[in-house]
Amino acid sequence: MSDEQTSGEGGGTVDVLIPLGLDQAYSYAVPPGLSLKVGDVVQVPLGPRETVGVVWEIGSGRGGNLKRVSGLYDMPPLDPALMKLVDWVAWYTLAAKGSVLALALRRPPDDTPERPKLGVRLAGAPPARMTPARARAITAAEGGLLIAKSALAEAASVSAAVIDSLVDAGTFSIEPMPREQIATAPDPDYAKPELSEGQAEVAAALAASVKAAAYNVTLLEGVTGSGKTEVYFEAVAEAIRLGRQSLILMPEIALTAQFIDRFEARFGVKPGLWHSAVTGRKRERLQAAIAGGEAKVVAGARSALFLPYKDLGLIVVDEEHEAAYKQEDGVSYHARDMAVVRGKIESAPVILASATPSLETRVNAERGRYTHLKLPERFGGRELPGLGLVDLRRDKPERGRWISGALVKAIETNLEAKEQSLLFLNRRGYAPLTLCRDCGHRFQCPNCTAWLVDHRFRRALVCHHCGHVERRPHECPACHTPESLTACGPGVERLAEEVATLFPQARSIVLSSDFPGGTERLKQELMAVAQGEFDIVVGTQLVAKGHNFPGMTLVGVIDADLGLTSGDPRAAERTFQVLRQVTGRAGRGEKPGRALLQTHDPSHPVLTALISGDPERFYAAETAAREAAGLPPFGRLAALIVSGNTQAEAESHARALARSADAPAGVMVLGPAEAPLAVLRGRHRMRLIVKTAREVNLQDYLRSWLKRGPKPKGSVRVQVDVDPQSFL
DNA sequence: AGCACGCCGACT
DNA sequence: GTCGGCGTGCTC
């Protein structure tokens, strides 16, 4: 009888969860001779075909005519902790259990033998006939090291054929490459950093929590340059010393060469890297190394959360406030919150690192759910930039100009001192609105409610919301007056025009995601800026993070009010974060920096808090403003995304929820502005803010609502946006 | 995820 | 008249 609970013998039944959009595990009969336990990966018939699945439960199978389990895969069973995570994430996100399992389940191993990569080595005499290409290849191969053929071809900028010919000539020998080391042990004492007293203290506290091997969450807050990474690396080092695994989660874009270099400099080897571009065999081998416990440190994007760690001793979520942690298609989850849940399940400490923590994380810290550690100083004793406001109501640029007198002066001073300036305007294109001088016609997107943005360089009007593009006509489409169209408001392109007029002698550049020539060129230009090749940089959000510009001593924010009035309940928070980041670009090198923010509302709490340098003030002001506006307080918010085939349909579903008799209090319907991707795919979404009383179990409520609700034509998906741990 | 069923537009 | 578009539903 007790055997029934631990294993499904021949004649019994098992419930198998299949990694598809199914919410229930299906029951199958266990064939004679097979013994199955929970977590086993099996093959089962599903409809006309065979599928992989995981034994989720034993013996609760309904009677009747069940299909049989076809077989057991020769692979390690799913870890109970991972199963628990799948159950929890499915419950929390209201996603089908099977879809969540799909995130966690490894593909059954590919049993075709791995073909070793071939490498070449300089081994013989030069060929009888020497050509420039051959000479380059030979030079590149000097030193007698074994080099992958493709890498050598790339390095010598020759084709693979040249290398092949040199192999035939006997100049190169061809040998199988040794398997790339995927899990070389990092050395916790490879290069210990020099930490300030304050940093060492925080590092010691983090290391202690790793040693304690218990769940707890620490918010590690420190401005850019305060040494956050160095400090959490000490926690990672401690985990390595204990022989346990660490996961460093980061936004996909942050998995850069810079981070890897820093890791390698600290630990002597690269971390295991997990992101969407790691595919095929490499992915399989890394998974195996993680499951086997050989991979000690994994740095990965959000999907790394569902990897089968053997002995997870630490989770770090770098840049915890980043929106990239939100998965919006398929299973909709916030990786930071799920990381906390995984930490809880695995009894591992979790570190949330950020220079600009999100409000919900602050709330959790304030309530004592998270420990709050701060790194106040910048590393090397560098000072934070001085911040100042320019009141545009007094210092008003002339019509069609956007740079105030005070800012012009500051730029001039900087130019004379041969120091760099950054003008920040978070608006791509030339002008955000185009209208007809004659009849007042405004160019609006045919799909959305957004204005079309004038992109002069591309000679087009573009909707930044859904991607719609049209030609900029020469006459007004409404009144047909020729050449009557006029640009309203500034974008970075227009600002660059003004810079060229005001400072014709300065070397300037515009950097935005529209940069002609793509990401590669953009990277080169960022490098050029860092090397001081430009005097004035005009840029969007893109310049706010990542690259360090040591020569940048002035940051001018053209419109600090931008984004404060957008109706999005998180607008103020995002503005605060981006302004803090971009003003932090000033004075990262030898010389101190300063930042000037142009505003029409100098007493705005976001700006006064920013100027004060104390983020807590922003948080306090934001909380008060919310209360005054009748918005639900932080920590009691969740967002529900309702989608339908049309916006009207989605809206009506959303209203139906808001109206239903037992709905949680304070449901608000917001516009679809936060879901540009969904709009791109032709699906309109609504975002609801749901306020709950503490007693309401939001997930269970929504789940039941979805079951009995007005069966929508489209799909209803739920993303819980804030308040991750209230039901933990 | 696949695969079947089912109801409206341009074609041998 | 049908071929086929993909929306919807089902799989123990």
Side-chain angles (χ1 to χ4, degrees):
Chain A
M1 199 60 185
S2 67
D3 207 41
E4 271 277 297
Q5 284 157 15
T6 53
S7 72
E9 305 289 340
T13 69
V14 285
D15 292 351
V16 175
L17 187 61
I18 291 148
L20 301 175
L22 302 166
D23 202 30
Q24 288 169 339
Y26 286 168
S27 302
Y28 289 88
V30 183
L34 199 58
S35 173
L36 296 174
K37 58 184 188 305
V38 167
D40 276 342
V41 183
V42 291
Q43 194 185 64
V44 289
L46 182 72
R49 64 192 183 281
E50 295 284 319
T51 338
V52 63
V54 176
V55 176
W56 218 249
E57 255 180 279
I58 300 287
S60 78
R62 47 151 232 222
N65 245 3
L66 293 179
K67 287 192 182 176
R68 282 176 165 193
V69 173
S70 315
L72 175 67
Y73 277 106
D74 180 24
M75 63 189 283
L78 209 67
D79 189 73
L82 206 44
M83 293 179 65
K84 207 168 162 190
L85 183 72
V86 168
D87 280 333
W88 198 92
V89 171
W91 169 75
Y92 187 76
T93 61
L94 308 199
K97 246 183 215 184
S99 327
V100 182
L101 175 63
L103 301 174
L105 188 62
R106 293 206 254 159
R107 286 211 328 268
D110 180 349
D111 38 14
T112 57
E114 194 164 346
R115 193 165 44 91
K117 257 193 163 174
L118 292 178
V120 292
R121 193 199 295 277
L122 193 57
R129 284 253 303 276
M130 187 57 94
T131 68
R134 287 179 170 189
R136 281 206 304 278
I138 291 166
T139 315
E142 244 155 34
L145 287 170
L146 185 63
I147 312 165
K149 235 164 76 173
S150 53
L152 180 60
E154 169 113 12
S157 52
V158 299
S159 70
V162 174
I163 313 236
D164 286 337
S165 74
L166 287 169
V167 171
D168 291 343
T171 309
F172 287 159
S173 66
I174 192 152
E175 307 164 30
M177 294 278 290
R179 284 165 128 237
E180 195 186 334
Q181 278 302 316
I182 213 145
T184 327
D187 176 1
D189 302 309
Y190 182 78
K192 285 193 177 174
E194 272 180 44
L195 298 177
S196 71
E197 205 178 304
Q199 289 173 325
E201 224 168 86
V202 173
L206 295 176
S209 70
V210 171
K211 222 174 211 158
Y215 164 76
N216 71 65
V217 184
T218 305
L219 165 59
L220 175 61
E221 181 179 2
V223 296
T224 346
S226 63
K228 271 192 307 293
T229 312
E230 286 76 9
V231 167
Y232 76 63
F233 274 175
E234 292 317 291
V236 173
E238 187 61 30
I240 298 168
R241 282 185 204 110
L242 295 169
R244 309 195 65 196
Q245 293 172 295
S246 304
L247 162 64
I248 304 172
L249 270 188
M250 26 187 56
E252 186 114 19
I253 32 123
L255 282 169
T256 54
Q258 279 173 21
F259 172 81
I260 299 161
D261 289 349
R262 282 167 86 178
F263 187 93
E264 204 170 0
R266 173 63 184 84
F267 296 107
V269 297
K270 291 187 176 72
L273 289 174
W274 184 266
H275 50 88
S276 54
V278 179
T279 52
R281 293 287 191 176
K282 208 166 178 185
R283 202 175 175 88
E284 259 176 53
R285 277 173 50 208
L286 188 52
Q287 277 179 329
I290 290 163
E294 297 95 59
K296 291 300 178 203
V297 183
V298 175
R302 55 187 180 220
S303 59
L305 195 63
F306 293 96
L307 286 166
Y309 302 95
K310 189 182 181 205
D311 180 26
L312 196 55
L314 170 68
I315 302 174
V316 178
V317 183
D318 201 9
E319 309 291 345
E320 69 80 30
H321 62 279
E322 277 287 331
Y325 283 121
K326 281 192 205 174
Q327 168 89 50
E328 306 236 277
D329 43 39
V331 181
S332 191
Y333 64 93
H334 197 305
R336 178 243 291 140
D337 300 340
M338 299 311 113
V340 169
V341 173
R342 182 136 202 201
K344 170 99 177 174
I345 291 172
E346 306 267 359
S347 294
V350 180
I351 298 170
L352 307 180
S354 176
T356 53
S358 61
L359 284 162
E360 63 270 27
T361 296
R362 263 183 206 296
V363 171
N364 284 322
E366 190 201 45
R367 291 190 180 159
R369 282 206 281 225
Y370 298 170
T371 310
H372 195 169
L373 297 179
K374 292 179 200 174
L375 292 168
E377 331 114 52
R378 278 201 179 186
F379 191 66
R382 262 176 263 137
E383 278 177 27
L384 284 171
L387 300 180
L389 295 179
V390 177
D391 187 343
L392 287 174
R393 293 168 308 182
R394 290 150 190 259
D395 188 351
K396 198 174 154 62
E398 59 187 89
R399 224 182 128 73
R401 295 284 178 94
W402 320 100
I403 308 175
S404 65
L407 188 51
V408 170
K409 221 165 174 185
I411 299 168
E412 273 167 359
T413 313
N414 242 32
L415 283 172
E416 276 161 31
K418 303 238 178 297
E419 290 172 18
Q420 288 176 300
S421 308
L422 171 65
L423 296 183
F424 173 72
L425 176 63
N426 207 1
R427 222 183 228 155
R428 291 157 50 210
Y430 186 84
L433 170 65
T434 304
L435 56 78
C436 171
R437 241 178 284 124
D438 255 43
C439 71
H441 173 79
R442 295 164 166 221
F443 283 78
Q444 201 175 7
C445 175
N447 311 320
C448 329
T449 48
W451 304 129
L452 292 177
V453 179
D454 185 358
H455 279 245
R456 288 263 156 115
F457 293 171
R458 287 168 62 186
R459 307 197 94 262
L461 298 174
V462 181
C463 173
H464 285 180
H465 201 183
C466 72
H468 169 85
V469 183
E470 57 186 70
R471 285 288 299 265
R472 188 179 193 274
H474 290 289
E475 59 165 54
C476 172
C479 68
H480 301 288
T481 314
E483 309 302 331
S484 68
L485 303 179
T486 179
C488 279
V492 278
E493 292 177 9
R494 195 172 195 180
L495 192 61
E497 225 172 63
E498 185 175 346
V499 165
T501 316
L502 289 170
F503 314 105
Q505 75 288 7
R507 300 164 298 169
S508 67
I509 185 169
V510 186
L511 297 176
S512 78
S513 56
D514 300 309
F515 195 78
T519 342
E520 274 313 303
R521 277 289 310 280
L522 188 62
K523 267 187 199 154
Q524 285 172 16
E525 297 299 348
L526 284 165
M527 209 95 99
V529 171
Q531 282 159 12
E533 287 171 33
F534 294 97
D535 306 311
I536 301 174
V537 177
V538 175
T540 59
Q541 195 159 345
L542 198 105
V543 295
K545 44 189 146 190
H547 232 93
N548 195 8
F549 305 124
M552 196 75 76
T553 56
L554 173 70
V555 170
V557 176
I558 298 301
D559 187 356
D561 310 328
L562 193 65
L564 286 174
T565 51
S566 79
D568 175 347
R570 308 201 69 165
E573 180 186 359
R574 280 207 204 99
T575 306
F576 181 80
Q577 287 168 345
V578 75
L579 289 181
R580 205 169 148 81
Q581 274 167 356
V582 77
T583 52
R585 301 275 86 185
R588 299 284 312 271
E590 299 290 305
K591 296 193 175 148
R594 66 175 175 142
L596 286 175
L597 299 100
Q598 302 189 148
T599 174
H600 286 98
D601 187 5
S603 60
H604 195 288
V606 164
L607 299 181
T608 50
L610 191 76
I611 297 290
S612 78
D614 179 9
E616 301 291 343
R617 273 185 61 176
F618 165 66
Y619 164 55
E622 202 32 33
T623 308
R626 269 177 174 267
E627 253 176 64
L631 287 165
F634 288 112
R636 292 279 99 204
L637 279 177
L640 171 70
I641 296 174
V642 180
S643 54
N645 293 324
T646 64
Q647 186 170 327
E649 204 173 278
E651 238 167 289
S652 93
H653 297 154
R655 298 240 154 75
L657 169 65
R659 270 199 313 269
S660 57
D662 59 342
V667 174
M668 293 185 302
V669 181
L670 300 174
E674 279 207 75
L677 268 179
V679 175
L680 261 181
R681 297 197 187 99
R683 282 263 164 130
H684 298 271
R685 292 191 198 176
M686 296 302 299
R687 181 163 283 210
L688 282 181
I689 300 294
V690 183
K691 174 184 169 186
T692 67
R694 186 165 273 283
E695 300 75 53
V696 176
N697 183 322
L698 189 64
Q699 268 70 19
D700 287 347
Y701 170 75
L702 290 174
R703 211 174 253 286
S704 74
W705 180 76
L706 293 178
K707 283 220 173 85
R708 73 192 142 79
K711 203 58 195 154
K713 278 237 186 66
S715 52
V716 177
R717 310 192 318 129
V718 169
Q719 178 182 353
V720 180
D721 205 22
V722 186
D723 194 26
Q725 286 87 47
S726 50
F727 308 113
L728 201 67

